[in-house]
Each structure stands twice: as C-alpha cells, then as structure tokens.
C-alpha cells in the first residue's frame, strides 16, 4: 500500500471519533493553530469536500432514507472518499501541503465494520479502493464514552442525522471499533475527549509537534 510519506511530500492528518466526541471542534482549533504557525494546509471533511462528495453526503445522512442497505451505505462512503482523494488530496500533495481531514477510512472500519457488523475484510478492501491506497500519517482519535456524547447532544438539543439516530448500542460498537483500530495502528493516538477543550487541543499540538518534526527533519 502506498503511503503519503513515500512521496516525500505532503503530510496527512485525520481526526476520528464517535458522534459528538468533540472531533470537529478540535479539527477547527487545530487548523487555527496551523494558520497561526503559517503552515500551508488544506482542511477537508469526509464525506464531503468536493461538489460530488457533498451530494453523496446528503444522500447518506438523509433521515428519510430508512431503506438504505448497509452495503449501499459502505459503497457511498467509499465513492465520496475516492472523489475527494482524486480531486482534493492528490493536488494538495503535489503542492506539498499538509492535509487535515475530519474523518477518513477509520470511520468506515468503525461505523460500517464494527457498527453495522459488515465483514471486516470486505470493509478493509473497500477502504483500499475508496482511499486509492492512501493512509493517513497521523490520526487523532478523540475518545469519549457514548453515554457522555449522548448527554452532549441532548444538552444542545441537536437534531440527529440518519447515522446519529441509530442509538447508544451502535455508538458503543463504534467506540469499541475505534479502540481496536488504535490498538493495532501506531499512527493512531488516543486523546481523552472528556476534558476541557483547551486541554485536548494542547495534547493534540504536543503530539503533532513531536511527530511532524520527526517527519520534516
Ligand atoms: P460527521 O458528522 O462527523 O461529518 O460524519 C457524518 C456521519 O457519517 C457520522 O455519523 C459518521 C458517519 N460516517 C460513517 O458512517 N462512515 C464513514 O466512512 C464516514 C467518513 C462517516
């Protein structure tokens, strides 16, 4: 499998976590930090980031699509991702940029593999296609108990999309899936999401600084 590091250009960072783990807040804070440090980056979200992928995202998250099969769901996530890799990630790599992506294929392993209980080998192979063989260099897993995440959603009274509507058991399986991934992948760093936003951010910056320095040296 090809890795971005092999191209000696670009650096690919992903943020992962269950719904309402605080992952998107941390992605945004991290991008602010990069801007302040004048590090050239692009920020993407998966599914999304391109015109076609954003259309696919709408289909995926639409609450009225109750009849969607798990295999269709898997393939749509991969289709959205393949478009983003071709259209956004490869050009950014060519320009030697740092890429920050809110979710990537670990989400598919966690949600469709562990959450939907699809065969993990098939999900792995599908991930290879959707990512065009690219693997993140560094992944932050914002880890939070699903119960706590649900309390957050209730507190802000947010509407649930199709995936979020699946309930606590589903989120428990996803969290467990993420922890399994982290146990096997050195690039994945678990960050405790149950602490103050600034503390989580600081932990992320510390890990990034140590890892990224090693990469550019
Ligand atoms: P977001 O709200 O964090 O942008 O993610 C959209 C939803 O899609 C979220 O519930 C997680 C889910 N998802 C999957 O089920 N599989 C995937 O491969 C990805 C990228 C997201």
């Amino acid at each position: 499998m090809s890795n971005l590091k092999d191209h000696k250009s670009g650096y690919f960072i992903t943020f992962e976590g269950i719904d309402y783990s605080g992952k998107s807040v941390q992605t945004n804070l991290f991008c602010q930090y990069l801007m302040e440090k004048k590090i050239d980056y692009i920020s993407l979200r998966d599914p999304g980031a391109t015109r076609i992928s954003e259309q696919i995202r709408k289909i995926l998250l639409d609450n009225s699509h109750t009849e969607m099969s798990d295999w269709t769901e898997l393939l749509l996530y991969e289709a959205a991702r393949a478009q983003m890799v071709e259209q956004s990630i490869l050009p950014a790599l060519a320009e030697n940029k740092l890429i920050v992506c809110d979710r990537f294929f670990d989400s598919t392993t966690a949600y469709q593999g562990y959450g939907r209980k699809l065969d993990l080998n098939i999900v792995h192979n599908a991930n290879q296609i959707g990512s065009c063989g690219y693997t993140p260099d560094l992944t932050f897993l914002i880890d939070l108990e699903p119960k706590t995440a649900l309390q957050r959603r209730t507190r802000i009274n947010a509407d649930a999309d199709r995936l979020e509507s699946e309930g606590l058991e589903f989120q428990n399986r996803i969290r467990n899936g993420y922890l399994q991934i982290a146990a096997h992948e050195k690039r994945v760093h678990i960050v405790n999401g149950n602490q103050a936003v600034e503390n989580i951010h600081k932990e992320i910056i510390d890990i990034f600084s140590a890892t990224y320095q090693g990469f550019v040296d």
Side-chain angles (χ1 to χ4, degrees):
M1 182 166 64
S2 162
N3 189 296
L4 298 187
K5 271 185 183 169
D6 300 336
H7 297 255
K8 297 269 184 283
S9 65
Y11 193 78
F12 187 17
I13 301 177
T14 56
F15 283 77
E16 296 283 355
I18 62 168
D19 297 296
Y20 294 92
S21 57
K23 160 189 66 62
S24 300
V25 169
Q26 290 302 328
T27 310
N28 292 336
L29 281 175
F30 183 68
C31 288
Q32 271 175 33
Y33 165 87
L34 294 177
M35 221 178 316
E36 282 158 20
K37 293 282 172 196
K38 300 196 173 17
I39 296 173
D40 203 9
Y41 75 96
I42 60 161
S43 165
L44 308 168
R45 69 168 176 178
D46 184 14
T50 73
R51 194 164 59 106
I52 293 171
S53 312
E54 288 289 342
Q55 291 293 324
I56 298 173
R57 179 186 175 92
K58 278 192 199 135
I59 297 172
L60 278 163
L61 300 188
D62 189 331
N63 261 321
S64 72
H65 291 167
T66 49
E67 74 277 33
M68 189 181 290
S69 100
D70 292 347
W71 295 109
T72 304
E73 183 179 290
L74 171 73
L75 293 171
L76 285 176
Y77 277 112
E78 302 298 355
R81 185 168 307 132
Q83 185 66 33
M84 177 181 72
V85 171
E86 293 268 351
Q87 202 182 330
S88 304
I89 293 187
L90 293 180
L93 271 180
E95 291 174 16
N96 208 15
K97 283 187 176 154
L98 194 148
I99 299 156
V100 181
C101 199
D102 188 336
R103 301 193 182 280
F104 201 61
F105 63 49
D106 293 325
S107 284
T108 316
T109 306
Y111 280 75
Q112 280 65 53
Y114 287 87
R116 297 289 192 212
K117 302 183 182 168
L118 295 183
D119 183 290
L120 286 174
N121 282 323
I122 298 178
V123 172
H124 174 76
N125 290 337
N127 280 342
Q128 291 286 307
I129 299 171
S131 65
C132 308
Y134 289 110
T135 303
D137 291 292
L138 176 62
T139 298
F140 295 108
L141 169 58
I142 315 297
D143 180 52
L144 192 66
E145 284 233 18
K147 251 195 315 198
T148 314
L150 187 64
Q151 281 162 2
R152 282 185 186 174
R153 191 179 96 201
T154 312
R155 204 164 47 230
I156 59 172
N157 206 11
D159 287 337
D161 63 34
R162 199 177 57 83
L163 276 290
E164 288 162 2
S165 305
E166 287 290 338
L168 201 57
E169 243 336 283
F170 185 60
Q171 296 288 332
N172 276 327
R173 287 202 298 277
I174 295 163
R175 185 202 184 199
N176 171 48
Y178 271 131
L179 294 175
Q180 295 288 332
I181 296 167
H184 293 99
E185 296 281 350
K186 259 180 73 185
R187 70 179 157 82
V188 181
H189 294 255
I190 302 174
V191 179
N192 176 9
N194 202 6
Q195 34 173 351
V197 169
E198 319 77 73
N199 293 357
I200 301 174
H201 178 60
K202 188 182 173 309
E203 210 173 309
I204 287 172
I205 296 304
D206 288 346
I207 295 168
F208 168 71
S209 304
T211 321
Y212 190 60
Q213 279 313 317
F215 178 79
V216 291
D217 281 352

